[in-house]
Amino acid sequence: MASIFEERVRSRTQKSRAVYEEAKLVLPGGVAANTKAISPYPLYFRDARGAYVTDIDGNTYIDLVMGLGIHILGHAPAPVMAAVRERLSSGPLPGMATELEVELARKVRRHMACAEMVRFVNTGTEATLMAIRVARAYRKRDKVAKFEGNYDGQHDLVQVSTSTIAGPVDAPEPSLNHSGVAKSTLRDLVILPYNDPERATALIAAHADELAAVIMEPVAGFGMGCVPATREFIHAIREATAKRDIPLILDEVVTNFRLGLGGASEHYGIKPDLVTLGKILGGGFPIGGYAGRRDLMDRLVTPTGRPSEDQGRISQSGTFSGNAVSMAAGLATIKVLEEGDVYRQLDVMTERLCGGLKRLATDHGITLAITGVKSMFQVHFGLDHLTTIRERSGEDFARATEFSHGLLANGVFAVPRPWFMSAAHTQADVDKILDVADGVFKEMKHAKPAGVAGGSR
Ligand code: PMP
């Protein structure tokens, strides 16, 4: 059964529908990435400025997806676009070293205490792949512990237990809900429960001798629905790993420059051994990065030029790694973040939106939890709180899809995933979203549950 708003979305987006019908023939699902395959079908966009995106039917939306967390300054911010244009005018220089990568590494180092040395790659997936490789080279072991409900990219080792669960809560088992991941990777994995310091540290202690690394999201974003680690939990994991000399890889692909200039490590006051970077760091262009302790990065990543001396080191290259366009865009973004009062403004706007949504839900008798930290958050229907993925069994995903359709039908681009505030969102934008949500909740209250499929990926 379609949601009560689905027909309205469809009637406004006939051009997207037509493109989708053709796109399906050449692109599986009509898109290049599963995240773009939204319900009822992908919308195809032609323009993005500030807080707004315009689809090919000419509908303009206030955007809450914000490039899956990239656009902290809004879409196409003038200083970033100018830096990119300037770079392009002298050639994009892929595959060549430029001073821009040096400058961007210095910026990361200045703001993130744990990032003593940095390497840039092109995606967050590559970032976690390489950070794990560094840890394995250091520990001379293969096993990696990751958390249930954490999404750390799409390579085999971490594409397990991202949004599904298996086994008992005190000893979670790897959950493979996607095909094509080599079963042999499971031998190298220990799955830990998130936000459960006692059980997680007990498992780290039990597997300590075999572990190369523990990788963790400080805010469990795209797998679990934007659930922050508690302070007690993140500090317990830091302590349990430090005590046993197991590198802790903090996956900050989403949180770097989102929770503040110093990312989640600064926000929580912890110093991981390695940190992974991405999204905001590239100013809207492809990026990933990994950084950390000098003794690990310098000794294990630096090439010597002589293969015989490379033993014990990792290999990381990449045709586009540190590409000058992403470097220039990232630098321009960070400069704006350093100069302005962006983070305070983001907090105020997010507070206004989340507080307003919560009030409206209460007024309409709708059970709603809002999880998140600073300017990243997600709404969850049918729950009043959410701290671990296992609690999501009670979540009403059909309602989330219905709400998303209601927002899409009324000019707010928001799908059931983490939402992100940007510096371009004004008070008027937030009030407009609240006005729309009020109307949508009102209709949802009177409608029967929709029974449509949905939820985070
Ligand atoms: N780590 C985290 C925490 C992420 O959220 C993501 C992507 N959303 C990744 C890694 C992978 O990044 P990418 O999509 O750039 O490969």
Side-chain angles (χ1 to χ4, degrees), residues 272-455:
D273 304 284
L274 292 163
V275 64
T276 54
L277 313 166
K279 303 222 185 218
I280 291 173
L281 180 67
F285 293 82
I287 198 135
Y290 60 104
R293 275 165 44 190
R294 179 177 297 280
D295 63 316
L296 299 185
M297 296 292 290
D298 203 16
R299 180 158 68 82
L300 302 169
V301 185
T302 308
T304 61
R306 283 188 292 276
S308 59
E309 289 176 27
D310 268 344
Q311 279 170 12
R313 295 168 195 277
I314 73 148
S315 167
Q316 180 253 300
S317 199
T319 306
F320 293 99
S321 290
N323 81 82
V325 177
S326 300
M327 300 293 105
L331 274 168
T333 302
I334 294 171
K335 278 181 192 149
V336 177
L337 292 173
E338 285 170 340
E339 283 159 13
D341 203 9
V342 171
Y343 292 107
R344 209 186 52 80
Q345 187 193 335
L346 290 176
D347 286 350
V348 171
M349 289 301 154
T350 312
E351 189 50 46
R352 189 177 178 93
L353 179 56
C354 292
L357 286 173
K358 204 67 195 139
R359 263 193 308 281
L360 288 172
T362 307
D363 290 350
H364 290 293
I366 290 173
T367 308
L368 185 79
I370 304 183
T371 54
V373 56
K374 310 290 274 183
S375 58
M376 56 189 288
F377 55 99
Q378 185 163 338
V379 298
H380 303 270
F381 288 87
L383 298 178
D384 52 20
H385 78 287
L386 177 63
T387 52
T388 78
I389 190 167
R390 292 189 180 237
E391 289 161 348
R392 291 196 93 181
S393 59
E395 187 164 346
D396 190 341
F397 294 110
R399 282 258 147 177
T401 303
E402 189 174 48
F403 185 49
S404 158
H405 288 168
L407 296 177
L408 292 175
N410 289 282
V412 180
F413 186 64
V415 294
R417 287 208 198 94
W419 294 349
F420 298 91
M421 193 58 72
S422 84
H425 288 90
T426 62
Q427 194 165 307
D429 293 325
V430 169
D431 291 346
K432 166 86 195 313
I433 298 169
L434 290 173
D435 196 39
V436 167
D438 190 19
V440 172
F441 283 155
K442 201 174 290 165
E443 285 196 62
M444 282 171 73
K445 188 170 60 175
H446 297 300
K448 285 209 169 69
V452 288

Side-chain angles (χ1 to χ4, degrees), residues 114-270:
C114 56
E116 292 168 10
M117 294 189 98
V118 189
R119 268 285 176 99
F120 298 113
V121 284
N122 295 291
T123 61
T125 290
E126 273 183 281
T128 58
L129 182 77
M130 292 303 163
I132 288 170
R133 191 171 283 177
V134 173
R136 281 175 160 168
Y138 172 66
R139 288 277 288 176
K140 300 190 172 57
R141 289 165 174 84
D142 288 348
K143 268 201 180 174
V144 172
K146 84 170 279 289
F147 287 90
E148 207 172 45
N150 277 200
Y151 181 78
D152 299 301
Q154 54 183 342
H155 53 91
D156 275 20
L157 191 70
V158 291
Q159 186 92 88
V160 177
S161 300
T162 54
S163 55
T164 53
I165 56 164
V169 67
D170 54 347
E173 286 160 18
S175 169
L176 257 184
N177 66 323
H178 296 110
S179 199
V181 171
K183 303 273 185 308
S184 57
T185 29
L186 303 187
R187 280 201 309 262
D188 291 333
L189 264 179
V190 175
I191 304 295
L192 305 174
Y194 198 72
N195 270 339
D196 188 338
E198 267 172 40
R199 288 182 174 126
T201 54
L203 284 166
I204 291 171
H207 292 275
D209 289 344
E210 316 167 282
L211 286 179
V214 173
I215 183 165
M216 115 181 259
E217 269 191 282
V219 183
F222 287 87
M224 206 190 296
C226 220
V227 174
T230 65
R231 273 176 196 274
E232 181 206 359
F233 172 61
I234 203 166
H235 283 275
I237 301 303
R238 174 63 288 192
E239 203 179 298
T241 47
K243 191 154 86 182
R244 299 174 176 90
D245 193 29
I246 302 167
L248 173 64
I249 303 169
L250 199 65
D251 183 356
E252 290 228 41
V253 167
V254 177
T255 53
N256 70 161
F257 296 99
R258 168 65 58 187
L259 302 196
L261 287 166
S265 17
E266 183 182 65
H267 176 78
Y268 282 99
I270 67 157

